[in-house]
Amino acid sequence: MIFSFVKRLFAFLLLILVQGFFLNQVNVMGYATPMVFIFFLLVFQRGSSRFSLLLWGFFLGLAMDLFTNTPGVGAASCTLLGMIQPLLLEMFLPRDCAEDLSPSIKEQGLAKFCGYLLLSTFIFYVVYYLLLAFSLAHLESLAINIIGGTLFSFVLMLGLNSLYHRS
Amino acid sequence: MNNLLLFLQKYYYWFVFLILEIVSLGLLFQYNNYQGSVYFTSANVMSGYIHEVQSRIASYFSLQQVNEDLTQQNVRLAMELSDLRERMIMPEDSTHYAPSVKSTLTEYPPLPAVVVNVTLNRKNNFLTINKGEADGVKPEMGVLGGNGLVGVVYKTTAHYSLVMPLINTSSNISCRIRNRGYFGYLRWNAEDSRYAMLEDVPRHATFKKGDLVETSGFSEMFPQGVFVGRIDEIYDSPDGLSYQLKVRLAVNFGHLRDVLILQHRPSEELEILQEEVDNANVKEEES
């Protein structure tokens, strides 16, 4: 129990540092900024306590807000992601899977995992950017930001998945 | 009762969710007018320090660019110097008054600072610099880069400050076209971090592409004549009553590192005047 908490905390800090130090500076063609820190929430096991998902999500978002000067934006969207993560996962489960399946290519298969990752990331980006802009005035650049960011993060998180499961 | 308890047990996470979302949205909405929330930004001690370490490391990668900027700035200063020298020899008008550099410097003692964090791709961008209240920085002080105007100090903590740069949609700075004397307001339209818009330039103004834009000195934040950028395109305003000038900014916010904070000593008279105007406005609103 304590061991898994420490492990989780470690992953939390690592993702925040990588995101804050490097990925926030990446900005492909002025638009797509990858947000890989949500991977932390996406790999929560099936049947995890919803309370802990929500709390981790809230603090993950808050920590990211410190780096980007957007108090509340990250926290609100990450909390929402923590809320809907179990539902999203249920949508992309293989047949007869374990009660405590942890989301990955190995356990879900490539297609289902990709669908899960893409949909969750897309929802997160939509919420995040709508809260950030708080208007539909620049709809076009908003859409490019969301789609570019989603695809970029998706590719990075696929890489992260294989990295995570090799060891 | 039992049912209620069961219900709560099953759906308690909905309440947790709502509470956390309310807290988040509270942060989001209070940010703009709530001084305390500055601790939830990159100007707080911890993330400020992390950003500083990061910028120290990253500074080595941009040395070349910094060098180029310095050279350019040197050339410009040398040109300005020769220009000034010429004017000294042949004063056009003996009653002409030009404030000397010295008085500007004593009125606005500059404080060097280093940019530790910058965002470029948001609607409201901010810079974080490594000087704060403890160094005498206060909100509303002007900030200059090597090439020209950067922005205005927005919020301060003990050792760091947030600066609202020109590339923030809330930024609004009174500027004029050099040697032509027409004024306008410099705003940003959230598109390209290299350009800003000079708006409300009167219809009868004469100028051309490539003319220089500088601060007007109407506000106390900057002395007059601080270089801002060059006119790149000329448009009509949507209502057709004025010109909108696309200005190529002198400062490259992507490579900004060393800045100067202008610690202006506001003149008492002007402050009293401003206060009276504010009071009058409040009264008008009340009545």
Side-chain angles (χ1 to χ4, degrees):
Chain A
M1 178 70 196
I2 284 181
F3 180 69
S4 75
F5 177 79
V6 171
K7 209 171 140 193
R8 192 161 273 171
L9 192 68
F10 183 71
F12 181 84
L13 292 176
L14 195 70
L15 270 175
I16 284 175
L17 287 180
V18 169
Q19 178 76 38
F21 267 121
F22 301 108
L23 298 178
N24 278 349
Q25 325 292 330
V26 177
N27 190 4
V28 180
M29 293 182 287
Y31 291 107
T33 300
M35 291 196 268
V36 167
F37 59 95
I38 55 170
F39 191 68
F40 176 79
L41 286 178
L42 296 183
V43 295
F44 267 62
Q45 287 174 351
R46 187 182 176 204
S48 295
S49 139
R50 306 200 63 156
F51 182 67
S52 77
L53 250 170
L54 285 170
L55 270 192
W56 277 110
F58 178 73
F59 285 108
L60 181 71
L62 204 60
M64 283 329 300
D65 283 337
L66 292 183
F67 283 91
T68 50
N69 291 327
T70 53
V73 179
S77 36
C78 280
T79 310
L80 182 77
L81 187 67
M83 186 69 184
I84 60 174
Q85 191 260 7
L87 306 177
L88 288 166
L89 188 56
E90 289 300 317
M91 286 169 61
F92 294 98
L93 282 180
R95 257 173 280 161
D96 330 308
C97 61
E99 277 301 309
D100 59 345
L101 165 141
S102 46
S104 64
I105 296 178
K106 206 174 111 200
E107 303 214 14
Q108 279 173 288
L110 186 64
K112 292 225 153 135
F113 184 67
C114 284
Y116 168 65
L117 216 56
L118 257 180
L119 185 63
S120 330
T121 316
F122 180 69
I123 292 176
F124 174 78
Y125 263 88
V126 170
V127 176
Y128 186 91
Y129 273 98
L130 280 183
L131 281 178
L132 193 64
F134 225 81
S135 79
L136 296 173
H138 302 281
L139 209 56
E140 213 172 293
S141 75
L142 208 64
I144 300 175
N145 265 318
I146 290 172
I147 294 169
T150 304
L151 292 178
F152 197 177
S153 310
F154 169 71
V155 172
L156 285 182
M157 283 192 278
L158 270 188
L160 211 57
N161 169 75
S162 41
L163 212 83
Y164 192 68
H165 284 276
R166 207 170 50 177
S167 52
Chain B
M1 191 65 204
N2 231 351
N3 280 343
L4 183 70
L5 279 180
L6 272 177
F7 174 79
L8 281 180
Q9 208 175 10
K10 202 167 174 198
Y11 293 109
Y12 73 98
Y13 58 86
W14 274 100
F15 296 102
V16 179
F17 173 68
L18 284 178
I19 290 167
L20 290 179
E21 286 292 351
I22 288 168
V23 171
S24 312
L25 294 179
L27 276 174
L28 176 65
F29 292 127
Q30 286 192 326
Y31 177 52
N32 287 324
N33 44 25
Y34 181 47
Q35 189 68 36
S37 66
V38 71
Y39 293 103
F40 284 109
T41 69
S42 61
N44 78 36
V45 179
M46 200 187 73
S47 57
Y49 177 74
I50 293 175
H51 277 127
E52 191 163 355
V53 172
Q54 179 196 17
S55 106
R56 256 188 242 150
I57 299 168
S59 71
Y60 290 101
F61 300 114
S62 56
L63 275 183
Q64 197 184 352
Q65 182 67 34
V66 171
N67 253 335
E68 272 170 34
D69 283 352
L70 283 176
T71 321
Q72 272 176 16
Q73 193 187 345
N74 256 336
V75 172
R76 215 186 63 235
L77 287 175
M79 276 160 67
E80 240 166 67
L81 184 68
S82 68
D83 183 46
L84 284 175
R85 258 201 208 114
E86 251 169 62
R87 277 200 220 173
M88 291 278 281
I89 299 166
M90 290 190 296
E92 295 159 16
D93 181 352
S94 56
T95 57
H96 181 74
Y97 166 73
S100 69
V101 176
K102 203 180 161 215
S103 79
T104 311
L105 279 181
T106 47
E107 209 180 320
Y108 294 93
L111 174 74
V114 173
V115 175
V116 297
N117 185 35
V118 58
T119 57
L120 299 173
N121 56 337
R122 292 167 194 283
K123 210 173 104 210
N124 290 317
N125 293 300
F126 286 101
L127 308 175
T128 317
I129 54 176
N130 70 346
K131 288 280 172 359
E133 270 159 43
D135 309 284
V137 181
K138 294 196 188 75
E140 308 261 294
M141 284 182 172
V143 181
L144 305 188
N147 294 335
L149 190 63
V150 169
V152 178
V153 175
Y154 178 60
K155 280 176 180 173
T156 55
T157 57
H159 298 291
Y160 297 95
S161 309
L162 275 187
V163 175
M164 181 188 286
L166 298 176
I167 52 166
N168 182 308
T169 48
S170 307
S171 163
N172 187 4
I173 288 169
S174 166
C175 290
R176 69 177 177 204
I177 304 169
R178 187 174 282 178
N179 292 339
R180 296 189 191 259
Y182 295 104
F183 300 97
Y185 286 95
L186 195 75
R187 301 196 181 103
W188 191 58
N189 55 6
E191 277 171 16
D192 192 329
S193 68
R194 292 170 301 168
Y195 297 94
M197 287 293 191
L198 188 63
E199 294 174 356
D200 299 342
V201 178
R203 231 31 235 196
H204 58 268
T206 51
F207 50 83
K208 59 182 192 300
K209 274 186 197 177
D211 273 359
L212 306 184
V213 176
E214 60 183 18
T215 55
S216 65
F218 283 170
S219 72
E220 286 265 286
M221 299 168 196
F222 311 103
Q224 55 177 330
V226 175
F227 185 46
V228 175
R230 261 168 214 284
I231 300 176
D232 201 65
E233 298 277 351
I234 300 168
Y235 304 108
D236 292 328
S237 68
D239 57 7
L241 296 176
S242 56
Y243 285 117
Q244 260 190 335
L245 310 179
K246 191 176 182 186
V247 177
R248 166 125 206 165
L249 297 174
V251 172
N252 179 349
F253 286 93
H255 287 287
L256 194 60
R257 185 175 149 75
D258 295 292
V259 293
L260 291 177
I261 304 160
L262 299 179
Q263 300 169 287
H264 72 91
R265 309 271 145 82
S267 66
E268 270 175 33
E269 270 176 57
L270 208 90
E271 271 199 345
I272 293 170
L273 199 64
Q274 189 65 46
E275 220 162 80
E276 275 173 16
V277 171
D278 288 346
N279 287 342
N281 283 345
V282 169
K283 270 179 201 158
E284 223 167 78
E285 273 168 23
E286 278 171 359
S287 63

